[in-house]
Amino acid sequence: MTLFDYRHQQLIEREAPLAARMRPRTLDEFIGQDHIIGPGRLLRRAIQADQLSSLIFYGPPGTGKTTLARIIANTTQAHFIAINAVLAGVKELRDGIAVAQEKRKMYAQKTILFVDEVHRFNKAQQDALLPWVENGTVILIGATTENPYFEVNKALVSRSRIFQLKLLNEADLRQVIQQALQDPLRGYGELNIKIDEAAIAHLINVANGDARAVLNALELAVETTPPNSNGEIQITLAVAEESIQQRAVLYDKEGDVHFDTISAFIKSVRGSDPDAALYWLARMVYAGEDPRFILRRLLILASEDVGLADPNAVVVIHACAEAFERVGMPEGRYPLAQATLYLATAPKSNSVMGFFDALAAVEREREAEVPTHLRDANRDKHGFGHGAGYLYPHSYREHWVAQQYLPSHLQGQMFYQPSDQGYEAQIQQQVTRQREAQLAALVEGLGVALPEVLTFSPTNAGTERWLQRTLSQAGERLGQIRDRLFCLAELQRHHVVLDLNAGSGLLTWEAVRRVPEGGVYACTPNPTDAAALTEQAALLPELIRPVILSLARQDLSAHFTQADLRFDRLIGRNVLSTEPDKVALLQQWLHLLRPKGAIVLAETLPRHTQRLYALIEANSLSGKLYQRLVEAEEAIYTDSSDAMVNWNVEDLVSQLGKQASIDNRQIRTEIEQTITDIQITSTMIERWFSPGKDRPSYRDHLVQVLSTAELKTIRQAFTRSLTNQSVQWHSAIGFIRIDR
């Protein structure tokens, strides 16, 4: 670079717009998008470790896509090439690839190719990139405002991680403004600027989540406002309103926002919410959507979602569409709103969807012959008997008679399911009555013979028990618990998750699979388990490996607070079982959550577990001894000194509400009763009636109230009744979700 080039570059940087000058240079300066670059997230770890794979940043303007690419350029050891798809073509791509090949060959250096507005490349240009991304010559970073799944080559998308950036929230935009006002080198830190709170609120509101828009408006306000006699630049609400007067609506008639908005509109009308329907209608009209497109969708909805519940709906919407054509805009907004309100408040029925069930049956079933009595009798009535046996409905009372109209193999199939809404409620009664009469006639042999029903045989329970016994059965049951817990957790791909009780990794590995752009931490108090998990994790790529920790659960809060790490979800199975103060522990863990984070647990509830006395017949012992056994066993589950068995979900929720000040609406609980077929072996009975090692055994509890002779009698009864017998084992799992 010559002296003149350097001076020219300095001049450009000094005279650049405020939004360009204030562009963050490091991750610490970056504002917003915590869901992809917050502490613990995959992308942040990848940038810091300089271990990037191909990426595509997708989001609205002003959310930081290009800025993230610049930050990567400032931190990576790789050679960085930036091009803009609006200005560049295949020649620029080839030049960049040539440089990348040279860097790789001569210096073993990676090359990152940043393509801004990548969706602007045509198919040929995108195809030209593919082989070099495929063989690792370049690491692609693309930025686009359009949905990459529609606008970017599918082969490129499949080889890239997609990160969606969202509009900045109010707190983020406020921070952007403060950063610009305080920075003395790139912003207005050297000026005496006083900005009213109302002015800030207006700038944030109208900027609509766009950091560039709010900075442009702030720059216009500052540069066009002269200082007063005290040298102070006063930005009032009036000045702010002059600087940014109209909200920029992100609306592309062929892009995601177009389809998402019309989807919200249709779903609001279908859901009979006239307020929401009018709001989304206003959003579309304000953004310049074609009213004819909206009316066309309403005309479809009049049949699809209202149908026979209000047969006049199609007539009214068609009339509104005709009225719009006559009056045009802006008065045409009246019939547009009328059509919307009519459908939003009309009774709903989607019974016309029965046609598509019939269509699916036609596609799925073999081609069936038209029943003989329904065939055309004019052509070969005498030769083949076509039309013979047809019953003419008008010859019967109420102009209807029961007879077969469907092909024989579809007889009894119902495609039309009339709703009980509006006018269709009357149709429902009529159709139901006629179907019952028709079925009765067929059963009686008065119509065409009823076709044979498909065969059915009950499952052999004994065979099923043997097939699912041992570890395979246990694995299946644990898998069900895991899946139910993750369903309740509602993980998103970018979440950072902490497994509170990793153990064998039942939840850890599933979490790794579900949060590929987030991160997983797994904690176990057992060093042996931690070592085993670490060994398993070594088989995974470094960036997606879970972080394995061997810590006591009571130390988790201090450890992660010191590390300044917060989580979107804390998950665990049987975490609370042995903890004496469960509420205090949950209070600590709540502080580890990000806003809108949640703790999701699956806990075996001993108080609801199988009672052993219920497995034997009461008459297998004397009446008094059996009653004493019942009382002794029930006492186990009311022992106030045993934290493992002396609690239930209801008590926990109540205590949390009192001690942790958690609203009951923040807690969701489900208790799932389960019945499992297991075989009682002599080894199990031996374990029940032997002294316990780590915890008191069944015998240890009974011996406190029963004599040695009575225990011997009870054991003999268990041995006689249960050895090698299959029993139904009742238990309960409590699923708990606590939202911050």
Side-chain angles (χ1 to χ4, degrees):
M1 179 182 290
T2 67
L3 181 63
F4 296 104
D5 291 335
Y6 177 72
R7 178 166 178 75
H8 179 66
Q9 183 65 32
Q10 282 190 319
L11 187 64
I12 291 176
E13 291 179 358
R14 186 168 63 251
E15 295 181 354
L18 177 65
R21 300 199 308 269
M22 290 304 301
R23 192 184 294 276
R25 296 162 296 188
T26 65
L27 283 175
D28 292 334
E29 290 182 1
F30 194 89
I31 297 171
Q33 312 306 336
D34 182 66
H35 63 286
I36 62 172
I37 62 164
R41 308 286 190 202
L42 174 77
L43 183 57
R44 190 183 191 95
R45 302 199 311 272
I47 293 173
Q48 291 171 338
D50 198 8
Q51 293 187 18
L52 291 167
S53 58
S54 292
L55 311 170
I56 295 178
F57 296 135
Y58 158 52
T63 52
K65 302 182 295 299
T66 304
T67 297
L68 270 177
R70 296 282 180 86
I71 289 173
I72 292 171
N74 293 337
T75 57
T76 183
Q77 297 297 314
H79 182 61
F80 192 89
I81 301 174
I83 62 176
N84 191 302
V86 176
L87 305 174
V90 173
K91 179 183 180 300
E92 286 77 11
L93 283 178
R94 287 174 178 166
D95 292 343
I97 296 301
V99 172
Q101 288 176 316
E102 181 181 357
K103 293 288 184 182
R104 189 176 187 184
K105 181 178 179 181
M106 301 293 293
Y107 310 108
Q109 185 182 21
K110 298 178 182 177
T111 297
I112 293 176
L113 176 63
F114 171 59
V115 183
D116 203 3
E117 304 291 337
V118 66
H119 64 279
R120 299 283 188 177
F121 273 161
N122 59 34
K123 186 177 185 301
Q125 291 167 319
Q126 292 185 30
D127 286 342
L129 264 177
L130 182 60
W132 310 111
V133 174
E134 177 73 32
N135 65 20
T137 300
V138 295
I139 297 170
L140 172 68
I141 299 180
T144 174
T145 56
E146 302 297 328
N147 191 327
Y149 291 103
F150 294 103
E151 302 297 335
V152 179
N153 186 315
K154 288 182 172 58
L156 283 178
V157 169
S158 69
R159 289 161 176 80
S160 306
R161 288 188 182 272
I162 311 294
F163 291 95
Q164 183 175 6
L165 284 72
K166 309 298 278 184
L167 293 170
L168 275 64
N169 59 34
E170 180 179 339
D172 294 335
L173 291 178
R174 190 175 291 274
Q175 191 176 346
V176 168
I177 293 173
Q178 293 301 323
Q179 195 178 67
L181 293 175
Q182 294 170 4
D183 191 311
L185 298 177
R186 298 179 294 158
Y188 296 124
E190 293 183 344
L191 299 179
N192 184 10
I193 299 174
K194 184 177 181 182
I195 182 168
D196 294 349
E197 177 60 33
I200 293 177
H202 176 76
L203 293 176
I204 291 172
N205 179 46
V206 184
N208 206 31
D210 186 332
R212 186 182 294 109
V214 81
L215 287 173
N216 289 342
L218 178 65
E219 181 180 27
L220 183 61
V222 172
E223 300 294 344
T224 58
T225 304
N228 59 22
S229 57
N230 298 324
E232 182 180 83
I233 298 175
Q234 179 76 35
I235 308 298
T236 62
L237 175 60
V239 173
E241 288 175 339
E242 287 293 322
S243 302
I244 182 168
Q245 298 180 358
Q246 184 170 352
R247 185 186 309 277
V249 177
L250 181 65
Y251 198 89
D252 185 340
K253 292 185 180 180
E254 295 182 356
D256 278 4
V257 179
H258 160 77
F259 290 107
D260 290 344
T261 308
I262 190 65
S263 174
F265 171 67
I266 292 300
K267 288 173 181 174
S268 299
V269 176
R270 181 184 295 133
S272 299
D273 188 332
D275 302 308
L278 287 178
Y279 170 77
W280 295 114
L281 175 66
R283 278 271 292 261
M284 290 188 290
V285 171
Y286 181 85
E289 181 61 83
D290 183 359
R292 293 173 181 83
F293 166 73
I294 301 173
L295 285 164
R296 173 179 168 273
R297 292 300 301 269
L298 288 175
L299 199 56
I300 295 169
L301 187 142
S303 291
E304 179 184 357
D305 295 298
V306 176
L308 293 180
D310 184 349
N312 287 322
V314 171
V315 179
V316 172
I317 306 310
H318 185 267
C320 287
E322 289 293 318
F324 176 84
E325 293 298 334
R326 282 180 175 270
V327 301
M329 290 290 276
E331 291 84 355
R333 290 180 290 189
Y334 291 113
L336 189 60
Q338 180 183 350
T340 298
L341 288 174
Y342 186 94
L343 291 181
T345 55
K348 302 297 189 296
S349 170
N350 67 343
S351 59
V352 295
M353 300 296 288
F355 165 74
F356 297 97
D357 293 335
L359 195 61
V362 171
E363 295 172 349
R364 182 177 63 248
E365 304 288 341
R366 61 180 174 82
E367 185 176 348
E369 292 185 346
V370 176
T372 304
H373 66 290
L374 298 182
R375 296 185 187 183
D376 182 9
N378 294 321
R379 301 174 61 190
D380 39 28
K381 177 179 180 180
H382 301 291
F384 294 102
H386 289 179
Y390 172 64
L391 306 178
Y392 188 59
H394 295 296
S395 300
Y396 295 85
R397 186 168 57 90
E398 297 183 356
H399 301 263
W400 181 85
V401 63
Q403 66 179 322
Q404 176 182 346
Y405 291 103
L406 279 168
S408 297
H409 73 284
L410 288 177
Q411 190 63 18
Q413 175 72 54
M414 291 184 290
F415 298 112
Y416 174 50
Q417 302 286 350
S419 74
D420 57 359
Q421 299 297 306
Y423 172 77
E424 198 170 24
Q426 303 173 37
I427 300 175
Q428 182 190 50
Q429 297 175 8
Q430 173 189 340
V431 170
T432 301
R433 180 170 54 83
Q434 290 177 345
R435 279 176 176 164
E436 291 172 351
Q438 192 172 33
L439 183 61
L442 292 171
V443 172
E444 293 293 328
L446 301 177
V448 180
L450 198 64
E452 183 180 2
V453 178
L454 293 175
T455 60
F456 170 78
S457 60
T459 302
N460 186 316
T463 303
E464 286 295 305
R465 282 198 298 271
W466 281 106
L467 289 174
Q468 296 180 2
R469 196 158 288 154
T470 67
L471 291 177
S472 62
Q473 185 188 33
E476 181 181 354
R477 179 62 192 140
L478 289 176
Q480 291 171 352
I481 295 171
R482 176 199 61 205
D483 295 344
R484 184 69 194 89
L485 184 142
F486 277 101
C487 180
L488 192 62
E490 299 174 335
L491 290 184
Q492 296 184 37
R493 293 172 62 90
H494 63 270
H495 277 171
V496 179
V497 180
L498 171 61
D499 185 352
L500 296 163
N501 188 21
S504 64
L506 176 72
L507 304 182
T508 302
W509 307 122
E510 180 67 10
V512 169
R513 187 181 70 80
R514 291 185 181 237
V515 293
E517 284 79 56
V520 177
Y521 290 74
C523 177
T524 173
N526 188 327
T528 304
D529 289 343
L533 289 171
T534 302
E535 187 175 344
Q536 289 176 282
L539 301 174
L540 294 172
E542 183 178 352
L543 278 178
I544 64 171
R545 287 178 197 164
V547 178
I548 312 297
L549 301 169
S550 180
L551 285 173
R553 297 185 191 108
Q554 295 82 355
D555 299 332
L556 286 176
S557 181
H559 176 83
F560 288 113
T561 300
Q562 184 177 0
D564 194 26
L565 187 61
R566 296 293 180 269
F567 299 92
D568 299 288
R569 296 290 185 271
L570 271 59
I571 60 174
R573 174 176 168 268
N574 291 342
V575 181
L576 301 175
S577 299
T578 57
E579 299 299 332
D581 194 342
K582 298 173 175 58
V583 173
L585 201 58
L586 288 171
Q587 283 181 290
Q588 292 180 22
W589 292 343
L590 282 168
H591 294 298
L592 295 178
L593 292 175
R594 286 189 168 103
K596 298 184 180 179
I599 300 173
V600 185
L601 307 175
E603 298 287 332
T604 302
L605 303 176
R607 189 176 286 189
H608 299 281
T609 196
Q610 176 66 49
R611 300 302 194 256
L612 298 188
Y613 65 74
L615 298 177
I616 64 173
E617 297 290 340
N619 58 14
S620 61
L621 296 170
S622 67
K624 289 184 178 181
L625 182 55
Y626 185 81
Q627 185 58 38
R628 292 187 65 201
L629 171 63
V630 171
E631 293 171 358
E633 186 171 347
E634 290 295 344
I636 298 173
Y637 302 97
T638 56
D639 183 357
S640 59
S641 64
D642 192 341
M644 186 171 181
V645 297
N646 64 6
W647 68 284
N648 58 35
V649 172
E650 295 80 6
D651 293 341
L652 184 66
V653 171
S654 177
Q655 292 175 37
L656 276 172
K658 294 176 182 176
Q659 298 181 32
S661 301
I662 295 177
D663 193 312
N664 283 342
R665 289 172 296 182
Q666 296 173 252
I667 306 176
R668 281 185 272 168
T669 62
E670 298 177 17
I671 297 179
E672 182 179 307
Q673 303 288 343
T674 63
I675 301 176
T676 308
D677 291 320
I678 68 170
Q679 188 176 29
I680 306 297
T681 64
S682 57
T683 304
M684 294 174 64
I685 298 174
E686 175 68 26
R687 188 170 65 248
W688 294 342
F689 288 93
S690 298
K693 296 179 180 178
D694 299 326
R695 282 186 48 79
S697 67
Y698 184 61
R699 170 205 172 276
D700 294 335
H701 286 287
L702 298 186
V703 77
Q704 298 178 30
V705 292
L706 298 173
S707 67
T708 304
E710 289 173 327
L711 271 177
K712 183 178 180 181
T713 303
I714 292 171
R715 178 171 180 168
Q716 291 172 347
F718 272 76
T719 302
R720 284 194 309 271
S721 302
L722 298 178
T723 302
N724 296 327
Q725 295 298 311
S726 183
V727 300
Q728 289 189 327
W729 189 277
H730 296 254
S731 59
I733 302 289
F735 293 95
I736 306 167
R737 172 169 170 151
I738 307 170
D739 288 277
R740 180 176 175 184

